[in-house]
Amino acid sequence: MKTRRGIFFLLWILSLIAISFYGGAISYGFFFGMTLVPVISFAYLLLVYLQFRIYQEIESRSIICKQPMPYYFVLQNSTFYAFAGISARLFSGLSYVLEMPDDEEYELLPGDRYTCRTKLVCKYRGEYEVGVKEIIITDFFRLFRLRYAIPSTIKALVYPRIIHKKELSSIQDIVAFRCQKTPFMQTEPDVVVRDYTAGDALKLIHWKATAKEQKLKTRCLLGEEKQGIVFLYDTKRYSEDAFVYLPLENQILETILALGVFFAKKNTPFTVFYGQKGMRRSHVEGINQFEAFYQETAKVVFDDRENIADAVCGWIIDCIIYHYGRRYGTVYPSGKQ
């Protein structure tokens, strides 16, 4: 475009020299032609800018990360003159549109419309603008260019995806998988007994030990209390640039969800602690509770005001209270999750 402008400017200088030294109808016609072409081209751009219309829509505002979502946009020319060079610029970096080059130009005849039906893919979890960002309008002679900002862009709410893993490379390092738990009762003579507590099944009462110690004794079952996994992740936002913090936050949540669905499928209980104006706790016993865990995880907000040190201290205190509450029958404090 700069080259074309330079050529037109050079021709205009030559036409000015021609009318200065030679005169005549041809010289003046050439001069006025080179003078009016840029003016007419710019006036044409203004008319296109005022009359141009674009419509765009996605099938759903809620999108799963890396999952293609149907998307379309329409370029509309409702005037009596043609639109020469129309190109659409997309929001890039956080999302992209399949099978659509970013620099493709369209020509619209009077009353014509162009519809592009494709799919849109969001790279990271979060809420950000997607689709067409602006329209670039170019005149016939390619001397000028105007940017048509989209009056109402599309803002998508992107949820993290669930990655299903068949195996974990460090699975044997987890104590819960090294322990051999059996669902049946130990047999004599190595049976382990404990004091009877209200609610124990009568069939578990060990009568010989009861008669010997003169108080009710109940058999202990191996594997009676399931062992589980505990996760702790940081929710502090370490940057103000979306291109920096969105990939990191997305990776954290996808990792937590991948581990969660892996253990949920194996019916291994797991507990997740994370900062959210204090420490919060999510506990999952099996796959039937994973959907609720996913919805809760997808709504986690990362905040630069979160302090992981304070959150960990609160988490340790909560763990101690929860552990001894279960062991000695203490009621867990209300309001704690």
Side-chain angles (χ1 to χ4, degrees):
M1 183 169 288
K2 291 182 179 180
T3 303
R4 291 176 178 268
R5 290 177 183 174
I7 294 174
F8 262 84
F9 181 73
L10 180 61
L11 292 176
W12 184 81
I13 295 296
L14 291 177
S15 68
L16 186 62
I17 295 174
I19 64 173
S20 299
F21 290 95
Y22 301 101
I26 296 178
S27 297
Y28 276 97
F30 181 56
F31 171 76
F32 283 112
M34 297 306 300
T35 302
L36 291 176
V37 164
V39 176
I40 295 174
S41 293
F42 189 75
Y44 163 79
L45 277 187
L46 290 178
L47 289 175
V48 174
Y49 182 85
L50 295 174
Q51 299 295 326
F52 182 79
R53 297 292 182 270
I54 179 174
Y55 310 95
Q56 60 176 339
E57 188 175 344
I58 54 177
E59 186 176 87
S60 175
R61 182 173 175 269
S62 300
I63 304 176
I64 302 297
C65 179
K66 304 293 179 65
Q67 179 176 312
M69 174 64 66
Y71 162 78
Y72 78 92
F73 70 90
V74 178
L75 305 177
Q76 178 71 44
N77 180 6
S78 56
T79 65
F80 59 88
Y81 50 89
F83 293 169
I86 307 294
S87 59
R89 296 289 176 84
L90 306 171
F91 286 101
S92 59
L94 303 179
S95 64
Y96 61 92
V97 177
L98 298 177
E99 302 177 356
M100 179 183 170
D102 197 31
D103 56 351
E104 184 175 354
E105 288 195 353
Y106 310 94
E107 293 185 1
L108 300 176
L109 297 176
D112 194 11
R113 63 183 294 169
Y114 173 80
T115 302
C116 177
R117 296 186 180 275
T118 179
K119 292 186 177 182
L120 182 142
V121 179
C122 294
K123 297 180 180 180
Y124 310 112
R125 172 261 192 189
E127 187 175 10
Y128 44 86
E129 294 175 312
V130 297
V132 178
K133 177 182 180 181
E134 60 184 4
I135 297 295
I136 307 299
I137 305 172
T138 309
D139 66 295
F140 283 97
F141 295 98
R142 296 187 177 277
L143 297 176
F144 304 102
R145 179 178 294 169
L146 288 180
R147 298 178 183 273
Y148 177 86
I150 305 300
S152 57
T153 56
I154 299 176
K155 183 170 287 188
L157 182 61
V158 187
Y159 291 90
R161 61 175 174 167
I162 301 175
I163 302 175
H164 297 270
K165 304 292 289 186
K166 293 183 179 179
E167 293 293 338
L168 294 180
S169 58
S170 58
I171 191 68
Q172 298 303 322
D173 297 331
I174 301 177
V175 177
F177 284 88
R178 294 205 308 264
C179 295
Q180 300 295 326
K181 300 186 289 292
T182 56
F184 52 83
M185 187 170 54
Q186 287 183 328
T187 58
E188 304 286 355
D190 298 324
V191 65
V192 179
V193 296
R194 58 176 173 81
D195 290 342
Y196 175 84
T197 56
D200 287 345
L202 295 178
K203 64 181 180 180
L204 297 179
I205 295 177
H206 194 280
W207 297 108
K208 290 184 178 180
T210 298
K212 182 177 180 180
E213 298 189 22
Q214 296 299 309
K215 60 180 180 179
L216 289 175
K217 290 290 184 177
T218 304
R219 292 180 176 89
C220 293
L221 302 180
L222 287 178
E224 187 177 39
E225 183 176 352
K226 290 184 178 180
Q227 298 191 50
I229 310 296
V230 174
F231 304 118
L232 171 66
Y233 66 94
D234 188 8
T235 56
K236 183 179 178 62
R237 178 165 290 174
Y238 291 93
S239 174
E240 296 182 356
D241 186 358
F243 291 92
V244 175
Y245 68 73
L246 279 179
L248 177 60
E249 295 173 6
N250 181 78
Q251 186 174 7
I252 291 174
L253 295 185
E254 284 190 351
T255 302
I256 291 296
L257 290 173
L259 292 172
V261 73
F262 176 82
F263 291 118
K265 285 182 176 180
K266 295 181 176 295
N267 288 321
T268 300
F270 64 90
T271 304
V272 178
F273 290 92
Y274 59 96
Q276 204 76 162
K277 295 181 179 179
M279 185 61 68
R280 292 196 179 184
R281 169 182 175 270
S282 296
H283 183 73
V284 178
E285 289 286 341
I287 194 65
N288 59 326
Q289 298 178 358
F290 183 78
E291 179 61 27
F293 170 71
Y294 173 81
Q295 295 297 331
E296 182 178 349
T297 304
K299 296 177 182 178
V300 169
V301 177
F302 287 77
D303 194 340
D304 57 359
R305 293 169 295 183
E306 290 289 348
N307 190 322
I308 188 61
D310 294 342
V312 168
C313 290
W315 169 64
I316 294 175
I317 293 173
D318 284 350
C319 287
I320 293 173
I321 295 174
Y322 181 70
H323 172 76
Y324 283 97
R326 291 184 60 187
R327 183 171 181 178
Y328 298 109
T330 304
V331 178
Y332 200 65
S334 60
K336 299 290 184 179
Q337 296 187 9

